[in-house]
Amino acid sequence: MHPAELAAFVDRALEGLPAPRAPRTLLPRVLAVVQRWKERPWYQRSWLTWPLGWQTASLTAVACLVLAAALVAPVALEALRDTSASVAMTRLGQAVGVVQEIERGARGVEATTTAVWTIWRVVLLPFVAYACGVLALMGAACAASIVTIKTFAFGKAISR
Amino acid sequence: MSDADRFEAFVRIHQDMVYGVAVRLLGNPAEAEDVAQTVFLKAFQRFDEIGASASAAGWLRTVTRNACLNHLSRYRARWRFFSELEGGEQSDQGFADTLPSASSPVLDFERHDQRQQIEQALRGLPDHQRVPLVLFHLEGTSYQEIAALLGISLAKVKTDIHRGREALRRQLAHVHASR
């Protein structure tokens, strides 16, 4: 059979096929699973189904956590620098008799740490703080956009 | 009318369509019922938006189709293996032989009307032929869209649809010949 004839044959065979009837068990099953879903507390459901207020609050909390971590990190770095790795290594070197080489290494570590700290404080910290602020605003904007789209997109379909 | 009553009415209106799409794509009534249940649960979670929307039917059809394809994707490796076997024509011929004969007590085609016979023949096709065939002929999906949905090449879509049509034609001819 020619492919075009075959396609036409199948089209005729399938055309006008009525939709198979759903079994009588489907509706009770759907209602039962919906009831079970409704009985779950909201926080056990998917985040996308949370009330909008809780979605916004959780996004804001995450953004604040990121911002707090960005602010605490410099303090931790400063504490690490002040620990004076060279002192510890010098003591260790004296204990095993290789003071000079260890001191040289410690100075290198201190120089590296100072360089990293300087780069963080001068270049990255202002950017990170700004980025975290932007992130928090974006989270709030996303939540507002979702509400607007839901209201206007589906609201338009209903009003047709 | 309470929300529960509204949702029940919503399910009654659309259940045949949702189940029909699922059973034709999956070829298995039990799995189709599971998928339909999942689809309506999703619909309930968004009922405020789609309950009274004119696009509810389209939304349900799309979600059902995607749910069926996700369900089938678990078997996609086996699907591709069988569809790419050399001598694909042999596998198509073998398909017709594996179906119960018209005189089988389990499946008595002589007592079904023609539409049911076509429905049964369609469900009896292997997944890699039935799914593209249903998407093309019954869901109005283009070859390109089918290729994108199934993650296969356009040539493969055309080959599988052609083989599905051949297998369907042979099965329907087999049924009519055995009457």
Side-chain angles (χ1 to χ4, degrees):
Chain A
M1 191 182 262
H2 190 272
E5 291 173 349
L6 179 58
F9 168 81
V10 173
D11 260 340
R12 280 195 306 276
L14 299 180
E15 183 181 281
L17 268 184
R21 298 295 301 270
R24 274 176 281 186
T25 51
L26 179 59
L27 178 59
R29 282 182 59 172
V30 169
L31 297 178
V33 78
V34 161
Q35 185 59 32
R36 282 198 299 275
W37 185 85
K38 276 163 46 176
E39 288 167 359
R40 290 166 67 193
W42 62 268
Y43 51 83
Q44 287 184 3
R45 303 176 199 165
S46 159
W47 183 84
L48 291 171
T49 62
W50 284 12
L52 184 60
W54 283 109
Q55 285 180 334
T56 309
S58 61
L59 275 176
T60 308
V62 167
C64 289
L65 278 171
V66 172
L67 185 62
L71 293 173
V72 166
V75 176
L77 265 177
E78 189 167 359
L80 182 67
R81 190 175 72 92
D82 290 346
T83 302
S84 183
S86 62
V87 173
M89 285 189 189
T90 301
R91 286 180 184 164
L92 181 63
Q94 284 171 350
V96 300
V98 285
V99 173
Q100 279 187 342
E101 285 195 21
I102 291 173
E103 273 183 346
R104 215 175 295 127
R107 274 191 220 110
V109 169
E110 190 175 336
T112 305
T113 310
T114 306
V116 169
W117 164 244
T118 304
I119 291 171
W120 166 258
R121 199 177 47 157
V122 173
V123 177
L124 295 178
L125 179 59
F127 177 76
V128 168
Y130 172 76
C132 288
V134 169
L135 196 66
L137 285 173
M138 282 172 64
C142 279
S145 300
I146 291 169
V147 171
T148 307
I149 289 169
K150 282 179 183 177
T151 304
F152 287 99
F154 288 98
K156 271 186 183 174
I158 291 169
S159 63
R160 277 184 197 155
Chain B
M1 194 184 248
S2 68
D3 284 346
D5 292 336
R6 281 180 54 232
F7 180 70
E8 184 175 334
F10 177 85
V11 174
R12 287 185 190 278
I13 291 169
H14 296 292
Q15 63 178 346
D16 287 344
M17 181 272 289
V18 169
Y19 177 77
V21 170
V23 78
R24 282 173 177 163
L25 282 173
L26 297 176
N28 182 308
E31 291 176 5
E33 197 172 346
D34 291 341
V35 167
Q37 175 189 295
T38 304
V39 168
F40 279 117
L41 178 59
K42 288 184 182 177
F44 179 79
Q45 293 167 352
R46 289 162 179 75
F47 197 56
D48 290 340
E49 303 154 12
I50 65 166
S53 169
S55 57
W59 184 89
L60 284 169
R61 186 176 287 272
T62 302
V63 172
T64 305
R65 183 195 66 195
N66 292 340
C68 291
L69 295 181
N70 286 339
H71 182 89
L72 287 166
S73 67
R74 282 182 284 167
Y75 304 102
R76 187 158 293 167
R78 186 173 67 191
W79 164 350
R80 280 187 178 148
F81 172 73
F82 281 113
S83 71
E84 288 166 3
L85 272 179
E86 267 192 282
E89 292 300 327
Q90 292 170 0
S91 70
D92 295 337
Q93 289 164 2
F95 149 70
D97 293 338
T98 62
L99 288 173
S101 68
S103 60
S104 163
V106 176
L107 193 60
D108 188 354
F109 276 124
E110 289 187 352
R111 282 190 270 161
H112 287 359
D113 66 18
Q114 190 178 20
R115 288 177 175 177
Q116 285 177 313
Q117 290 166 4
I118 296 170
E119 200 72 61
Q120 287 285 16
L122 192 61
R123 289 185 200 181
L125 290 175
D127 289 350
H128 67 274
Q129 291 174 0
R130 183 187 64 254
V131 172
L133 199 67
V134 167
L135 287 174
F136 182 78
H137 284 282
L138 294 175
E139 298 300 311
T141 315
S142 69
Y143 284 142
Q144 290 81 1
E145 288 170 331
I146 295 172
L149 280 170
L150 302 182
I152 56 179
S153 67
L154 189 60
K156 192 157 171 11
V157 170
K158 292 178 179 176
T159 302
D160 286 343
I161 287 179
H162 176 75
R163 288 179 179 169
R165 286 170 179 159
E166 271 295 328
L168 198 62
R169 183 190 64 77
R170 274 199 299 274
Q171 176 57 16
L172 294 176
H174 175 78
V175 166
H176 290 303
S178 63
R179 283 184 169 177

